[in-house]
Amino acid sequence: MREGSLLTVKNIHFRYPGNVQVLNGASFSAERGEVVAIIGSNGSGKTTLLLIAAGLLDPQNGLVLLGEKPLREQLPEARKKIGLVFQDPNDQLFNPTVYDEIAFTLRQLLSSEEEVERKVRQVAQKLKLGNLLARPPFKLSMGEKRRVTLASVLAYDPDILLLDEPTANLSVKYVEETEQVIMNAKNAGKAVVIASHDVEFVANVSDRVYIINEGSMQGGSNAKSILTDESMLKFADMRPPLVLQTLKVLRLESHDNPLTIKDLTEASNGNTHRKQRSSQTQRSKRR
Amino acid sequence: MKLRNLTERFLENLAEAVDSLSVGSTPSSLNPTIAVLSALVLTGTAAFSYGFALPALILAISVVLVLLAHSSVRQWTKILLFVSVWVALVSAPLPFITPGKSIAVLSLGLIELGVSFEGLNEMIAFISRTTAAAAIFTSFASAMGWRRIVNGLEGLRMPGQFGLFLNLSIIHIPLFLRETAKMLSARESRIVRKIRIREVWRVLSTVVGDLLLRGYERSWRLEKAINARSFIPLEPSLKTPSTAMGIKDFLLLFISLCILTLGVLSVV
Ligand SMILES: Nc1ncnc2c1ncn2[C@@H]1O[C@H](COP(=O)(O)OP(=O)(O)OP(=O)(O)O)[C@@H](O)[C@H]1O
Ligand SMILES: [Mg+2]
């Protein structure tokens, strides 16, 4: 556990009514300007952990710290600093129109409807929702709903973003857009926590990775070291990114372990450069 | 499975009609507070009126309102049909149980039921009162949209919690209806062989239990969703933009008050 993190979740034990023990001493932390991923298979407790981190569920044991102080003591004002995007958009959307959905928090923070409207339009434009503002959120497609939930949270500019399976049900274009939103948030100094079982996506965006299985957590070091560690991944019934698996099958493993196509392209460009350079030097030697 | 298709279409249509109320056709042309006040006055007058004249007048006003606001006549009619059929069902016993001058006798085997003039009169008056009340409120709602109605209610100093509650119901009624339709299809799609009608009903009726469970589950998550974005300890209150009153608003208020006076005078 790092000291002085923006969000610190310590040794959480949680049981749902009906004795379903979900978390057994889960801990993680997130700092400003970093993307932390929590990966684990279905039912491992990721969603529950995020609800607890957002102060929406009370654990039987353990502590959530926002800055130095317990989150509990800072509610409900502290919610301004935490933006949770739910796994299922249908659970999150509860306003009659997309406009109202985005304006819901702004109306609590700003004093005039003109300011609210200006801000809503600004956020909507950023997430390409401009022409959907008057529509009821329930009638949108899954991808559009996801963008609305993201917009409704980005609108109030929280310091911490908790994203639960942000790429589920999204086509490639929207996955890339979501990655861009995450990168922008990171560069703006926000702490981003992602719960996901999509290792490819996690490999693309995250700085550090935790693994969760049956309510306990491991890892927490840099993404590459976790995502290439097969024994660690096996702990959570996960597999390494496809690029890595392919290289292994083809017996082309390289020491720099590329995780994504981008890494691979860079690595192979580097290799061809090196090869070209070495063949040039050989040729000049021969001369 | 004609019956289920009918049920599903009915549910879908009703959901569509309620949905259409959430976004108004001309939301910002009236001052929300005045409009809601007028809507309440007219609805109340219609609901508590005697005779047929006042309900007919209010029905006429609501038609004018629908036309002026360019609201969807179809959705408006659908809601009215639904309300009047429902009210007719509920008030069906009135002609038989109200004592008075008998105008017809219905014989059902051993039992003979007398239809009284007073009872029939009362039934029709009841249907017209409720239909007029529903008509006028629906025409306001479809012109303004629920958001403005809620704004108006807050202008009348209703607690913010009430507004949020209204908002939530208006969203969840259609969702709930659609969910029921979907659950019925899900069950039907898994009835793979010919079975007796009684069994079909047994399978379909499990929808009820499921709806209760889902309702609970959904409200659990909804509470989380609202809490996640509520920063102030009190309920979120929508800040109403103070729209100035125009000539239209004065006219509307004047007409409503005239009709209220007519209603009061007809009682006295
Ligand atoms: N409201 C609830 N009541 C009782 N048990 C629950 C509830 N919500 C979740 N659970 C149980 O808790 C466990 C963890 O659920 P959770 O949703 O946190 O997992 P997850 O890691 O997010 O899974 P997924 O990847 O499928 O989203 C599951 O076994 C689930 O059945
Ligand atoms: Mg989950």
Side-chain angles (χ1 to χ4, degrees):
Chain A
M1 195 65 34
R2 307 177 175 201
E3 284 307 310
S5 295
L6 185 55
L7 178 72
T8 315
V9 173
K10 267 188 191 164
N11 198 24
I12 300 286
H13 291 259
F14 183 83
R15 183 167 30 86
Y16 278 110
N19 274 344
V20 191
Q21 185 74 35
V22 179
L23 298 172
N24 295 301
S27 306
F28 73 89
S29 64
E31 285 169 54
R32 284 182 187 283
E34 73 166 348
V35 180
V36 175
I38 299 170
I39 60 174
S41 55
N42 290 136
S44 52
K46 303 180 293 291
T47 298
T48 309
L49 189 60
L50 289 194
L51 287 174
I52 291 171
L56 294 169
L57 276 181
D58 280 325
Q60 278 84 24
N61 240 317
L63 199 59
V64 179
L65 297 176
L66 178 67
E68 312 280 292
K69 276 191 276 174
L71 174 63
R72 264 288 114 218
E73 294 169 11
Q74 306 175 54
L75 291 179
E77 289 80 7
R79 295 227 163 86
K80 249 181 287 196
K81 299 190 183 151
I82 304 177
L84 170 64
V85 176
F86 286 52
Q87 176 167 2
D88 183 350
N90 294 321
D91 290 339
Q92 188 174 352
L93 303 168
F94 60 89
N95 285 285
T97 62
V98 171
Y99 181 97
D100 290 301
E101 198 64 62
I102 303 176
F104 182 76
T105 47
L106 298 172
R107 289 192 176 124
Q108 300 169 53
L109 299 172
L110 304 173
S111 53
S112 81
E113 188 68 26
E114 286 80 55
E115 280 177 80
V116 171
E117 180 166 352
R118 194 166 342 112
K119 186 78 194 169
V120 170
R121 296 206 180 278
Q122 194 186 329
V123 177
Q125 201 191 358
K126 215 189 284 172
L127 286 160
K128 306 201 178 80
L129 292 168
N131 51 353
L132 298 181
L133 284 177
R135 299 260 301 272
F138 299 100
K139 290 197 171 171
L140 304 180
S141 80
M142 202 58 172
E144 290 166 338
K145 280 184 194 172
R146 267 199 193 282
R147 274 185 290 153
V148 175
T149 55
L150 204 54
S152 70
V153 163
L154 291 178
Y156 60 95
D157 203 26
D159 294 338
I160 302 169
L161 284 176
L162 306 174
L163 312 177
D164 199 350
E165 308 279 3
T167 57
N169 284 320
L170 289 190
S171 58
V172 185
K173 187 179 134 215
Y174 290 127
V175 172
E176 281 169 4
E177 278 178 17
T178 310
E179 285 176 6
Q180 199 51 52
V181 168
I182 292 172
M183 281 309 158
N184 291 346
K186 171 185 162 164
N187 294 337
K190 301 188 186 311
V192 184
V193 180
I194 298 166
S196 182
H197 45 227
D198 180 352
V199 272
E200 314 296 332
F201 168 71
V202 166
N204 270 334
V205 294
S206 55
D207 299 310
R208 289 194 297 123
V209 175
Y210 290 89
I211 293 190
I212 181 168
N213 185 37
E214 292 183 355
S216 39
M217 285 170 88
Q218 290 193 2
S221 48
N222 78 63
K224 187 158 261 181
S225 71
I226 303 281
L227 294 176
T228 52
D229 185 339
E230 269 184 67
S231 61
M232 183 78 98
L233 289 169
K234 217 171 250 163
F235 167 72
D237 294 324
M238 316 263 315
R239 309 221 188 312
L242 215 54
V243 168
L244 213 57
Q245 289 186 52
T246 316
L247 291 179
K248 196 174 167 195
V249 172
L250 299 175
R251 298 183 186 286
L252 287 171
E253 291 137 300
S254 72
H255 59 96
D256 48 354
N257 279 329
L259 293 180
T260 60
I261 295 289
K262 201 170 137 235
D263 287 354
L264 190 62
T265 321
E266 276 166 16
S268 69
N269 281 348
N271 280 347
T272 32
H273 279 310
R274 233 174 290 141
K275 267 186 205 149
Q276 277 171 355
R277 230 177 292 137
S278 64
S279 61
Q280 271 171 6
T281 39
Q282 275 172 7
R283 249 179 276 148
S284 55
K285 265 184 205 161
R286 249 179 267 146
R287 268 189 232 146
Chain B
M1 277 299 232
K2 286 260 165 52
L3 188 66
R4 194 197 55 84
N5 274 341
L6 198 67
T7 318
E8 199 163 292
R9 263 185 47 204
F10 170 73
L11 291 172
E12 180 52 44
N13 268 305
L14 191 58
E16 190 61 37
V18 180
D19 251 357
S20 72
L21 297 182
S22 63
V23 188
S25 52
T26 44
S28 53
S29 69
L30 290 171
N31 177 321
T33 310
I34 298 294
V36 166
L37 187 64
S38 309
L40 291 178
V41 165
L42 289 174
T43 310
T45 313
F48 293 108
S49 61
Y50 281 88
F52 300 100
L54 222 46
L57 184 60
I58 291 175
L59 195 64
I61 294 179
S62 64
V63 172
V64 172
L65 211 64
V66 166
L67 295 179
L68 280 183
H70 304 292
S71 310
S72 158
V73 178
R74 245 186 84 188
Q75 301 295 2
W76 181 81
T77 320
K78 248 189 232 169
I79 292 180
L80 278 208
L81 274 180
F82 175 70
V83 170
S84 37
V85 168
W86 176 251
V87 174
L89 280 177
V90 173
S91 61
L94 273 178
F96 304 107
I97 58 170
T98 317
K101 201 173 71 194
S102 171
I103 48 169
V105 176
L106 211 68
S107 77
L108 297 167
L110 294 177
I111 320 161
E112 289 211 330
L113 289 173
V115 178
S116 74
F117 175 75
E118 282 78 3
L120 201 61
N121 208 12
E122 206 154 299
M123 177 181 166
I124 297 172
F126 182 62
I127 294 177
S128 60
R129 280 205 303 266
T130 1
T131 310
I136 191 74
F137 197 79
T138 308
S139 54
F140 272 103
S142 52
M144 298 166 65
W146 275 101
R147 187 153 71 89
R148 301 286 287 183
I149 296 248
V150 170
N151 277 354
L153 284 172
E154 280 169 350
L156 296 174
R157 299 279 168 273
M158 288 278 178
Q161 200 109 48
F162 185 73
L164 186 64
F165 174 73
L166 251 184
N167 259 341
L168 292 180
S169 357
I170 203 68
I171 294 164
H172 282 85
I173 290 169
L175 273 190
F176 176 83
L177 295 171
R178 287 213 177 88
E179 198 127 308
T180 313
K182 265 192 231 155
M183 279 155 61
L184 285 171
S185 333
R187 278 163 178 69
E188 198 200 345
S189 69
R190 274 180 281 160
I191 301 180
V192 288
R193 64 191 167 87
K194 248 193 151 74
I195 52 175
R196 277 193 315 239
I197 189 81
R198 227 182 61 205
E199 278 179 82
V200 173
W201 274 108
R202 203 176 48 82
V203 174
L204 295 187
S205 64
T206 54
V207 163
V208 178
D210 237 27
L211 264 179
L212 282 177
L213 277 179
R214 280 201 201 187
Y216 174 75
E217 168 76 9
R218 167 135 297 158
S219 61
W220 188 84
R221 291 185 192 279
L222 183 64
E223 186 232 0
K224 303 269 169 291
I226 296 176
N227 277 346
R229 286 191 281 150
S230 299
F231 316 136
I232 29 186
L234 291 170
E235 70 275 3
S237 107
L238 307 172
K239 284 172 188 112
T240 323
S242 59
T243 328
M245 275 181 61
I247 186 88
K248 269 194 268 181
D249 300 309
F250 278 114
L251 202 64
L252 183 62
L253 193 59
F254 178 71
I255 294 174
S256 315
L257 292 178
C258 282
I259 289 187
L260 178 64
T261 319
L262 273 180
V264 173
L265 286 180
S266 73
V267 174
V268 177

